[in-house]
Amino acid sequence: SQTIHQWPATLVQPVGSPLSLECTVEGTSNPNLYWYRQAAGRGLQLLFYSVGIGQISSEVPQNLSASRPQDRQFILSSKKLLLSDSGFYLCACPGGSGANVLTFGAGSRLTVL
Amino acid sequence: AQKVTQAQTEISVVEKEDVTLDCVYETRDTTYYLFWYKQPPSGELVFLIRRNSFDEQNEISGRYSWNFQKSTSSFNFTITASQVVDSAVYFCALRVWGQGGKLIFGQGTELSVKP
């Protein structure tokens, strides 16, 4: 089964600073990859998904961007953070508990001050 | 449009009570998957169950049971004899074909089980 690594686990950044969150996956090849954000306590919002290297689909207009430079690497970035970018960011990938089950990483908690 | 609704924002029960978490979904697809995930205070999402749209059999796993009814577009989750360790946020989710197979989540139900 695959393993999803996310880092950093926790990040505190000032408004206007850049951001890079990284997700890497082990134990699978050419997976679909997803970035979700959980803001202010609960709801999980899909930000981006990727079906292959260099292929990024954006779900909502926002201050963030994503890239997939390698098969098992998915990066979430921002050039200038906003207060509203604070939240818990989760990377996900199919597999683990079944072919159609999304498995999630441990998440990166971002606080923008 | 696809949508998942968890109308119960918060539920509080006393240990050993049974509790049911409601989930209603919307989709025009005939093939889809439904899921429940648990999010304990640590934040990580833990997969609990998957159901495909062609399998309406109820499922029981220990103290957990799930009732899937296509006629009412519902996929409810019951915890029998709740325990303090069941305290968490529970998410119902829908996965459809296309659009990268993304998961669409409900807003979650925060369950608090008091001793």
Side-chain angles (χ1 to χ4, degrees):
Chain A
S1 63
Q2 83 277 43
T3 304
I4 301 174
H5 300 281
Q6 286 189 245
W7 69 89
T10 308
L11 195 59
V12 180
Q13 292 285 98
V15 169
S17 63
L19 172 73
S20 180
L21 300 180
E22 190 161 342
C23 169
T24 59
V25 182
E26 294 178 358
T28 185
S29 60
N30 197 31
N32 287 359
L33 294 172
Y34 308 83
W35 276 113
Y36 282 85
R37 177 172 62 196
Q38 188 175 32
R42 267 210 308 282
L44 285 153
Q45 181 184 41
L46 179 64
L47 301 177
F48 302 95
Y49 67 89
S50 171
V51 299
I53 295 174
Q55 300 180 63
I56 307 295
S57 295
S58 174
E59 286 291 296
V60 292
Q62 58 206 309
N63 184 44
L64 302 168
S65 62
S67 62
R68 187 166 176 179
Q70 300 180 41
D71 181 37
R72 287 173 283 182
Q73 185 183 32
F74 202 22
I75 297 172
L76 186 68
S77 305
S78 174
K79 292 182 179 178
K80 289 186 179 181
L81 284 169
L82 306 173
L83 287 174
S84 58
D85 292 323
S86 293
F88 189 47
Y89 291 83
L90 290 155
C91 180
C93 166
S97 301
N100 287 295
V101 176
L102 283 195
T103 298
F104 288 80
S108 295
R109 194 168 300 278
L110 170 66
T111 302
V112 183
L113 301 175
Chain B
Q2 290 106 6
K3 185 180 178 182
V4 176
T5 302
Q6 294 180 255
Q8 304 149 309
T9 305
E10 298 177 5
I11 300 177
S12 182
V13 299
V14 176
E15 206 169 19
K16 297 184 183 178
E17 284 186 22
D18 298 346
V19 57
T20 295
L21 309 182
D22 298 332
C23 172
V24 174
Y25 63 93
E26 295 176 31
T27 180
R28 292 182 181 176
D29 288 19
T30 56
T31 302
Y32 53 88
Y33 290 88
L34 295 165
F35 302 81
W36 277 95
Y37 284 84
K38 175 181 180 179
Q39 187 179 41
S42 62
E44 192 164 352
L45 279 171
V46 178
F47 164 74
L48 295 178
I49 191 171
R50 175 196 69 189
R51 259 289 174 262
N52 72 52
S53 52
F54 299 108
D55 184 0
E56 284 193 73
Q57 283 189 349
N58 293 334
E59 181 156 340
I60 298 174
S61 176
R63 295 184 298 107
Y64 295 171
S65 62
W66 291 269
N67 183 279
F68 175 31
Q69 291 193 340
K70 288 180 74 171
S71 60
T72 56
S73 297
S74 65
F75 186 42
N76 297 337
F77 172 31
T78 297
I79 302 175
T80 303
S82 60
Q83 300 177 1
V84 172
V85 293
D86 295 327
S87 297
V89 180
Y90 291 86
F91 290 96
C92 181
L94 168 69
R95 192 175 191 208
V96 299
W97 299 117
Q99 295 182 288
K102 65 182 181 182
L103 269 183
I104 300 162
F105 284 90
Q107 284 301 102
T109 297
E110 183 171 5
L111 174 64
S112 176
V113 182
K114 302 186 187 311

